[in-house]
């Protein structure tokens, strides 16, 4: 690592949502110098604002303090093996991927921002937890410096703990969003304005900021209201009915009632 008075140099491999948001926070950071952006295909217009060298061949990457691989999980190992340098610090950004998938020719680490990213939606990185891992204590300190340049929410998390976090995040974020999508479809199919539900949606997420989820739970399954549950099931069919029944049974069991 360079002296504390010098900038950390890094390159980013990837052209997706994570790569874009990392560029957003590091490009104008006085402590960071982004040397290269690499993506196997041409970069989208979102990346035009970043005046750094953009390449499409990983073999053209130059050694830097930190090389960040922000690609899909299945490609991390292959990309890390193709890097044209050795002995450098290389990290991936995946929540569900072990540190050991990275090639052994470079020093290994993980830089995992726990957030749902979309290119067109701004993110306040001060509110984004970043989970770091490294095989070497000195490298861990470098990643801590990098993370703290973006957020105060930095956590040293090992590969197993990160996988548990990822499962939890998928259930909390992706599954919840899918259920909201189903609710919207049901409303639209029956000509009911989805807007009516938005205050309830806001209240649901506000409540769990102040109350434990176990205490915040409401609804027919929490009350063991079998008649309402059966009425709901009668109005549903196919996959929606199975989803409703599965989650209802989980709630019933959690609060000591007999499953359907």
């Amino acid at each position: 690592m360079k002296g504390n008075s010098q900038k950390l140099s890094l390159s980013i491999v990837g052209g997706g949502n994570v790569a874009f948001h990392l560029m957003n926070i590091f490009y104008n950071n006085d402590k960071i110098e982004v040397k290269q952006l690499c993506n196997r295909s041409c970069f989208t217009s979102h990346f035009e604002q970043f005046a750094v060298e953009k390449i499409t061949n990983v073999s053209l990457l130059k050694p830097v303090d930190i090389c960040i691989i922000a690609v899909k999980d299945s490609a991390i190992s292959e990309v890390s093996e193709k890097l044209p340098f050795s002995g450098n610090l290389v990290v991936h950004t995946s929540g569900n991927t072990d540190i050991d998938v990275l090639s052994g020719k470079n020093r290994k680490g993980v830089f995992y921002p726990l957030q749902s990213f979309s290119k067109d939606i701004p993110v306040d990185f001060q509110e984004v937890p970043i989970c770091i891992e490294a095989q070497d204590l000195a490298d861990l300190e470098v990643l801590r410096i990098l993370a703290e340049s973006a957020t105060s929410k930095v956590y040293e998390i090992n590969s197993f703990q990160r996988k548990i976090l990822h499962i939890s995040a998928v259930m909390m974020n992706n599954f919840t969003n899918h259920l909201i999508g189903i609710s919207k479809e049901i409303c639209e199919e029956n000509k009911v304005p989805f807007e009516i539900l938005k205050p309830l949606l806001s209240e649901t997420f506000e409540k769990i900021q102040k109350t434990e989820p176990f205490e915040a739970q409401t609804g027919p399954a929490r009350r063991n209201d079998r008649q309402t549950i059966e009425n709901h099931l009668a109005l549903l069919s196919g996959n929606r009915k199975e989803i409703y029944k599965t989650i209802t049974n989980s709630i019933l069991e959690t609060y000591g009632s007999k499953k359907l």
Side-chain angles (χ1 to χ4, degrees):
M1 177 185 170
K2 298 176 180 179
N4 291 336
S5 62
Q6 294 178 286
K7 293 183 177 182
L8 275 174
S9 64
L10 61 84
S11 57
I12 298 175
V13 182
N17 294 333
V18 175
F20 172 73
H21 282 283
L22 289 179
M23 277 300 301
N24 257 341
I25 61 167
F26 292 139
Y27 181 66
N28 291 314
N29 192 313
D30 292 339
K31 299 177 182 178
I32 309 298
E33 183 179 9
V34 182
K35 292 285 193 180
Q36 292 175 299
L37 268 173
C38 179
N39 193 37
R40 64 181 179 180
S41 57
C42 294
F43 287 92
T44 64
S45 59
H46 294 84
F47 288 86
E48 290 176 359
Q49 61 185 292
F50 306 123
V52 300
E53 183 182 5
K54 300 180 183 72
I55 57 178
T56 56
N57 191 328
V58 71
S59 67
L60 298 177
L61 282 167
K62 301 167 186 174
V64 284
D65 292 325
I66 308 171
C67 177
I68 301 176
I69 299 177
V71 300
K72 63 182 181 180
D73 292 7
S74 60
I76 293 172
S77 179
E78 179 184 356
V79 170
S80 70
E81 191 59 49
K82 288 182 177 179
L83 293 175
F85 45 76
S86 59
N88 291 72
L89 177 56
V90 176
V91 304
H92 70 65
T93 61
S94 169
N96 192 49
T97 306
D98 197 283
I99 191 173
D100 289 332
V101 305
L102 292 165
S103 170
K105 68 181 182 180
N106 282 295
R107 307 190 323 270
K108 304 178 183 182
V110 178
F111 190 86
Y112 171 47
L114 203 166
Q115 184 57 272
S116 176
F117 294 109
S118 299
K119 287 191 183 76
D120 295 320
I121 300 177
V123 172
D124 179 5
F125 251 88
Q126 282 297 323
E127 298 300 318
V128 177
I130 296 179
C131 301
I132 58 173
E133 180 182 7
Q135 294 179 319
D136 181 85
L137 286 177
D139 289 338
L140 189 66
E141 183 58 28
V142 172
L143 293 182
R144 188 179 302 281
I145 292 169
L146 180 66
E148 288 178 348
S149 74
T151 180
S152 60
K153 302 178 187 296
V154 182
Y155 299 88
E156 183 182 338
I157 300 290
N158 65 37
S159 287
F160 176 76
Q161 291 171 320
R162 191 173 62 256
K163 289 178 182 179
I164 296 300
L165 265 178
H166 193 259
I167 293 170
S168 301
V170 166
M171 295 186 76
M172 182 181 70
N173 178 258
N174 305 140
F175 287 8
T176 301
N177 185 74
H178 181 64
L179 290 173
I180 294 167
I182 292 173
S183 297
K184 188 172 188 289
E185 289 173 359
I186 291 172
C187 285
E188 291 175 345
E189 289 167 9
N190 293 279
K191 297 180 171 52
V192 175
F194 180 68
E195 298 292 323
I196 297 172
L197 287 174
K198 286 190 174 179
L200 175 63
L201 183 60
S202 297
E203 173 61 21
T204 298
F205 288 104
E206 283 294 323
K207 187 187 296 183
I208 59 173
Q209 298 296 324
K210 306 168 186 174
T211 309
E212 289 294 319
F214 184 88
E215 300 297 332
Q217 186 69 54
T218 61
R222 175 65 181 90
R223 300 189 303 270
N224 195 21
D225 182 352
R226 300 283 169 149
Q227 181 175 339
T228 297
I229 291 170
E230 293 300 331
N231 289 343
H232 287 174
L233 288 171
L235 291 169
L236 297 169
S237 61
N239 190 45
R240 291 174 182 172
K241 188 170 188 174
E242 290 305 311
I243 291 172
Y244 184 101
K245 188 173 181 179
T246 297
I247 295 176
T248 293
N249 275 330
S250 180
I251 296 171
L252 287 169
E253 191 172 36
T254 296
Y255 293 92
S257 298
K258 185 178 179 181
K259 294 165 66 175
L260 300 175

